[in-house]
Amino acid sequence: QQQVKQSPQSLIVQKGGIPIINCAYENTAFDYFPWYQQFPGKGPALLIAIRPDVSEKKEGRFTISFNKSAKQFSLHIMDSQPGDSATYFCAAGGTGRRALTFGSGTRLQVQP
Amino acid sequence: EAGVAQSPRYKIIEKRQSVAFWCNPISGHATLYWYQQILGQGPKLLIQFQNNGVVDDSQLPKDRFSAERLKGVDSTLKIQPAKLEDSAVYLCASEDMEDTQYFGPGTRLTVL
C-alpha cells in the first residue's frame, strides 16, 4: 500500500516535444505529491509539487496533473530542451514530516 | 543559503568492513532523513530524525546499520559490517516547514 508506481522507465523525445510521465499510488493517506529531477552524480532536486485540493499546477514549463479519484498524477514538460535530460522521480508523502515514497524513476532524453 | 552537505562523496570498502557517512543539513531544518538509492531505483527511506529524536527507523537494517543525530544538527550513518548489497548512494535530506525536502549530493558506496 506504500508503493508508488511510475511509468515509463525511459523516454526519448525531440526538442520541443512534450514528455509525459505517469505515477499511481494506493495509500489514500498521501496528501503531498512532489516531482524531483536528478542529474548524474547529484542529489534529487525538487521540481514542482501538488496537494490534492487542486487538479493541476503549473510552474514555468512544468505541469502536474492530479486525479484524486483515480489516485494518479502526471508530469508534463512543455517545450522540452536538451538540458531537461535527466531522471525524474515522482514521490508521495504526507504533511507532518512523513518520509517520501519514491517511484522507480523515468530516464528522459531530449534529443536536439 | 548553503545546501545539505555530505561527506565523503565516494567510498570503496571490502565486505565486512565498516563505514560512516556524515551529513550537515540546512541551518534551521529540524527534520533530517537518510535514504538509500540503489542504481536504477528511487530513493528508499532508511531513517527519519526530528531534531535529535528518531521518528521512523522501520526500514533501517538495525543488525548492521546505525544512525545518530547529536545535538539535533549533524548526523552520521554507519554500516558495520558492510555487505555487497549495501553498494548504493546514500542520500541525506533536510526538510523545511513547508514539507520540501532538500537533498545533498550523496555518498556513493562501493562494497567489493
Side-chain angles (χ1 to χ4, degrees):
Chain A
Q1 198 179 20
Q2 291 294 323
Q3 277 190 323
V4 175
K5 296 181 180 180
Q6 183 172 346
S7 64
Q9 190 174 15
S10 63
L11 192 52
I12 300 175
V13 300
Q14 296 295 316
K15 178 182 174 181
I18 306 176
I20 300 172
I21 306 170
N22 300 297
C23 284
Y25 64 98
E26 297 176 354
N27 189 344
T28 55
F30 289 143
D31 62 0
Y32 174 65
F33 303 92
W35 284 89
Y36 279 82
Q37 180 188 56
Q38 186 174 31
F39 293 103
K42 305 289 186 182
L46 179 67
L47 202 56
I48 185 173
I50 196 169
R51 296 191 186 273
D53 53 340
V54 295
S55 60
E56 185 176 277
K57 183 175 181 179
K58 292 183 181 180
E59 284 187 5
R61 297 185 293 107
F62 302 95
T63 299
I64 298 179
S65 297
F66 184 81
N67 185 329
K68 187 175 182 178
S69 61
K71 292 187 284 187
Q72 295 176 347
F73 57 111
S74 60
L75 176 70
H76 300 229
I77 305 176
M78 306 300 178
D79 187 27
S80 58
Q81 301 296 313
D84 296 329
S85 297
T87 300
Y88 292 81
F89 292 95
C90 63
T95 53
R97 308 296 182 263
R98 281 188 286 171
L100 295 174
T101 299
F102 283 83
S104 54
T106 296
R107 187 170 180 178
L108 172 66
Q109 184 179 347
V110 181
Q111 295 183 333
Chain B
E1 177 181 82
V4 176
Q6 290 188 247
S7 67
R9 292 295 315 278
Y10 306 92
K11 191 73 177 179
I12 301 174
I13 62 173
E14 298 197 347
K15 60 182 179 184
R16 291 188 289 274
Q17 287 186 325
S18 63
V19 65
F21 313 126
W22 173 83
C23 172
N24 179 239
I26 293 172
S27 177
H29 286 189
T31 304
L32 182 148
Y33 302 87
W34 283 100
Y35 289 88
Q36 180 193 57
Q37 186 176 23
I38 293 172
L39 186 65
Q41 299 182 19
K44 174 189 162 186
L45 176 72
L46 290 174
I47 190 167
Q48 176 187 350
F49 290 95
Q50 178 79 16
N51 295 309
N52 61 347
V54 175
V55 174
D56 183 354
D57 64 356
S58 58
Q59 298 179 74
L60 187 74
K62 298 181 187 62
D63 58 334
R64 297 183 301 105
F65 286 65
S66 64
E68 61 181 8
R69 191 182 183 196
L70 298 176
K71 302 181 181 178
V73 182
D74 293 3
S75 178
T76 56
L77 176 70
K78 297 179 182 178
I79 308 175
Q80 182 180 15
K83 292 185 175 182
L84 296 177
E85 59 261 37
D86 298 332
S87 293
V89 175
Y90 290 85
L91 294 163
C92 178
S94 66
E95 188 176 83
D96 66 15
M97 295 300 291
E98 296 177 353
D99 296 337
T100 299
Q101 292 187 27
Y102 298 86
F103 285 81
T107 296
R108 181 176 296 277
L109 173 67
T110 302
V111 182
L112 303 176

